[in-house]
Amino acid sequence: MNNNFSFIYPKSKHRHENSDFFMAKTEGGDTVLVVSGPDMELFDGSSEGSKQKFCPLTVENSKTLRKLFSFTNPVSHKGHDITMGLGDRLGLASGGHIKAVCDTGAFPVLAQQSMRELNLTGRSYDDVLSSVVWAVFREGYTTGYGADGDHLKTREEVKYAIDCGFSMITLDCSEHIMPGSAASGVSSGISNDAAPGQIYLPAIEHTVSIYKEFIDGTNLDFEISLDETSFSMSPEAHLFVAKELHSRGVKFTSLAPRFPGEFQKGINYRGDLAEFEREFSAHAQIARDFGYKLSVHSGSDKFSVFPSIGKLSGGKFHLKTAGTSWLEAVRVIALTRPSLYREVHTFALANLPEAKKYYHITEDVTKIPDIHGLSDTEIHAYMDADDSRQVLHITYGLLLSAKTSDGTSLFRDRIYETLQKHEYEYEIALIKHIGRHLEALSLGVM
Ligand code: ZN
């Protein structure tokens, strides 16, 4: 490690007993933790004499840091009415996320990753949490954040997230919703008229068993995800599930129904706004009556429904975003390193059929203008058009894992290098873009 640092992050100075800590940017662009005093020996790193130690931002060092500074640990968001999931696939966005939400009254869930995202990015829950711990420490963000093991389906996955210190478990019940029913495969947005008991009972049983084994008696936030279905969930079905879970003693923090219309990744809402408002109001009323939050998944960029969510939720909701912060990263690459963007864009289009095995989108590639016809100063416009946004939104896993013939990364290293070099630009882009979400939800900076 190069110990010549060029910059000290002003809010990163913290003291623990007789030891001083701060974070610094080195000439190579990375940040390190610098420790002096008796705590030095607790961290791995390279000592400079006996006065200070330069420590890389490893998972192990982050675990040690969490023992010394309680504010770096994820906590429950019970008691916070408005909470926002801010997934960060690359592990570079939390600084921008913190700055975007810090004065808005929304409680941030800064670590939020599904198993699908972990697999596609080649990351671990330890790594996801560690990235957030360092960001929280660097920004001096002491007022609390959550960590969501998102869309977990099995007991092994739930155990994994809890063992890594996550404070929230989102149980994905999609595989337990009406298995084998004739209604499966109905096109999206269509309500299912079959009796809720027939459809949702297996999901309720699954929830009860996970609750009893892992959640009951803890302070974990527990979210029930019923949103990954091909049909929307009626308020009647929601009421049925809420009553059943209540009567079986399951206490949960939030529930995500499948709303009418389409919540596709990284683009605006598609559907009938009046119908959405009607159903959302009814769902929100049920959630209020039973004392939990309504959770909105795939909440990135749904600008046309944000005002309704802000207004009709009664000031109580959870909203999850993730891919949109990756798209802002791609925007920064397009603006600062157009040659890399051109390669990324061409690869994403060529590998789209593979990515569509994991994500449902309705892009029309014929509408995407040929990149050879655009100048370097124009290509960032791809990030403002739905079809190209969707293509880049869902190909992140393939882009990050692509290798050259000699086994080195095709894009990953250059993507990280570019974003670390343009850390400030990425932060500004996130403050602006997440800020637009918050304003539309009536959560502008107070
Ligand atoms: Zn979901």
Side-chain angles (χ1 to χ4, degrees):
M1 192 178 3
N2 182 342
N3 289 344
N4 294 324
F5 54 80
S6 54
F7 178 79
I8 292 173
Y9 290 91
K11 293 184 177 168
S12 71
K13 293 179 186 169
H14 301 281
R15 194 170 169 82
H16 175 259
E17 292 173 359
N18 291 321
S19 285
D20 288 304
F21 294 73
F22 63 88
M23 284 173 72
K25 205 171 172 70
T26 65
E27 285 171 344
D30 300 313
T31 52
V32 290
L33 176 74
V34 186
V35 199
S36 62
D39 285 340
M40 270 167 65
E41 63 189 60
L42 302 174
F43 291 84
D44 295 325
S46 59
S47 300
E48 198 126 293
S50 57
K51 291 247 165 53
Q52 51 192 4
K53 197 170 193 175
F54 293 78
C55 311
L57 306 189
T58 59
V59 166
E60 279 317 305
N61 280 337
S62 78
K63 287 182 177 173
T64 308
L65 196 78
R66 284 168 57 195
K67 289 181 193 144
L68 305 186
F69 295 94
S70 61
F71 74 85
T72 61
N73 288 289
V75 290
S76 161
H77 58 72
K78 290 180 190 68
H80 294 273
D81 285 345
I82 295 174
T83 50
M84 188 134 171
L86 296 156
D88 174 13
R89 290 176 180 161
L90 295 169
L92 300 171
S94 290
H97 288 160
I98 288 168
K99 291 192 171 94
V101 300
C102 63
D103 295 318
T104 64
F107 179 93
V109 176
L110 295 171
Q112 173 202 284
Q113 202 117 341
S114 65
M115 294 307 292
R116 176 171 62 185
E117 289 172 309
L118 280 191
N119 292 333
L120 290 173
T121 54
R123 298 178 73 201
S124 64
Y125 272 145
D126 270 342
D127 172 44
V128 169
L129 187 52
S130 164
S131 301
V132 174
V133 167
W134 295 120
V136 162
F137 196 76
R138 193 182 66 216
E139 300 303 327
Y141 186 71
T142 58
T143 49
Y145 73 93
D148 179 7
D150 197 9
H151 276 282
L152 305 179
K153 293 184 174 173
T154 65
R155 57 176 305 285
E156 289 74 23
E157 291 171 1
V158 170
K159 185 173 185 315
Y160 171 40
I162 294 173
D163 287 348
C164 291
F166 276 54
S167 57
M168 172 172 176
I169 296 299
T170 296
L171 184 66
D172 180 326
C173 299
S174 56
E175 286 173 8
H176 300 267
I177 297 173
M178 52 154 221
S181 155
S184 62
V186 178
S187 68
S188 46
I190 308 226
S191 219
N192 191 314
D193 292 332
Q198 186 197 325
I199 298 169
Y200 290 99
L201 266 180
I204 290 165
E205 307 285 354
H206 178 57
T207 304
V208 171
S209 99
I210 293 287
Y211 178 79
K212 283 189 180 151
E213 184 170 359
F214 296 104
I215 313 291
D216 195 10
T218 71
N219 196 31
L220 290 163
D221 295 323
F222 188 38
E223 173 162 316
I224 296 151
S225 147
L226 304 167
D227 64 305
E228 300 241 328
T229 56
S230 56
F231 54 91
S232 68
M233 184 184 202
S234 67
E236 294 72 32
H238 180 177
L239 182 61
F240 171 81
V241 170
K243 277 184 179 165
E244 282 294 319
L245 291 173
H246 183 74
S247 72
R248 294 170 197 225
V250 176
K251 295 191 180 70
F252 52 99
T253 325
S254 46
L255 182 144
R258 166 80 159 80
F259 297 108
E262 295 207 30
F263 280 70
Q264 288 192 33
K265 304 288 177 186
I267 59 170
N268 209 337
Y269 174 73
R270 287 182 182 166
D272 177 342
L273 185 60
E275 185 194 12
F276 173 82
E277 289 195 334
R278 213 167 39 241
E279 299 254 319
F280 184 88
S281 290
H283 285 297
Q285 186 62 51
I286 296 165
R288 279 199 298 278
D289 289 349
F290 283 85
Y292 54 84
K293 265 178 266 193
L294 206 52
S295 180
V296 180
H297 287 201
S298 301
S300 295
D301 305 283
K302 302 298 175 291
F303 294 106
S304 65
V305 292
F306 286 157
S308 312
I309 292 171
K311 190 173 66 202
L312 302 171
S313 61
K316 211 173 171 185
F317 62 86
H318 183 66
L319 182 108
K320 295 194 185 190
T321 69
T324 205
S325 295
W326 151 254
L327 287 176
E328 287 308 302
V330 177
R331 185 192 298 278
V332 170
I333 292 167
L335 286 166
T336 61
R337 200 167 168 184
S339 59
L340 175 58
Y341 177 81
R342 286 178 188 277
E343 284 182 58
V344 162
H345 182 96
T346 307
F347 179 92
L349 278 175
N351 290 278
L352 188 61
E354 177 65 19
K356 284 174 83 169
K357 290 180 188 166
Y358 317 109
Y359 286 101
H360 165 71
I361 55 167
T362 56
E363 93 306 325
D364 180 355
V365 285
T366 62
K367 287 196 197 148
I368 300 176
D370 181 10
I371 196 159
H372 300 295
L374 296 183
S375 72
D376 282 357
T377 54
E378 292 170 326
I379 53 174
H380 67 90
Y382 282 122
M383 290 302 99
D384 298 317
D386 284 0
D387 297 298
S388 39
R389 278 182 76 79
Q390 288 205 309
V391 169
L392 286 153
H393 192 292
I394 68 162
T395 46
Y396 67 95
L398 297 170
L399 285 161
L400 292 171
S401 59
K403 299 265 192 290
T404 61
S405 53
D406 65 5
T408 56
S409 85
L410 186 53
F411 299 113
R412 190 185 188 102
D413 294 350
R414 285 184 292 160
I415 287 173
Y416 274 88
E417 183 192 295
T418 308
L419 293 167
Q420 270 156 355
K421 185 170 167 203
H422 296 283
E423 179 185 38
Y424 181 69
E425 286 88 340
Y426 189 32
E427 204 172 275
I428 297 293
L430 289 168
I431 293 170
K432 219 169 111 185
H433 190 63
I434 298 297
R436 265 186 80 202
H437 286 64
L438 295 162
E439 272 167 35
L441 289 158
S442 309
L443 292 168
V445 174
M446 292 191 296

